[in-house]
Amino acid sequence: QVQLVESGGGLVQAGGSLRLSCAASGLSISESAMGWFRQAPGKERAFVGAISRGGGLTPYADSVKGRFIISRDNAKNTAYLHMSKLIFEDTAVYYCAVRARASPASTPDEYDYWGQGTQVTVSS
């Protein structure tokens, strides 16, 4: 059974930083691309960024470019979302996802497995 567990969310002041983790079990993330999405209240799930299987491709949404970085540690079977210079508009539930392909993707339906999400709240 595949499980993705996000952690690291919480309340942070604007301008601050957080690091989210996505720990996988039941599969090896070394075979897969990983993605991060977020969903704010009343809005659709939105692409944040992704990382290819080899780590060489890391596309990001324009809204987070220069502030967020995605990384992966295949030995720990874990992906990370490093968030800095947080703003109020970053407040959302953040989800990680696994795509059973090498290349990253930016739409939710291209991912095969999802975590339960972790809340990030940025106070202004």
Side-chain angles (χ1 to χ4, degrees), residues 34-102:
M34 304 287 294
W36 285 93
F37 292 77
R38 65 187 182 186
Q39 189 164 17
K43 295 188 176 181
E44 294 186 350
R45 194 166 296 191
F47 174 71
V48 174
I51 186 166
S52 61
R53 182 174 65 189
L57 292 175
T58 50
Y60 295 96
D62 288 343
S63 59
V64 307
K65 277 181 185 175
R67 301 188 299 120
F68 290 12
I69 297 174
I70 293 173
S71 64
R72 60 192 299 156
D73 186 337
N74 291 342
K76 295 183 177 180
N77 221 28
T78 300
Y80 303 96
L81 178 64
H82 307 260
M83 306 186 293
S84 62
K85 302 177 183 176
L86 285 160
I87 60 177
F88 177 75
E89 289 74 18
D90 293 322
T91 296
V93 177
Y94 283 72
Y95 299 89
C96 70
V98 169
R99 182 168 190 254
R101 291 180 181 268

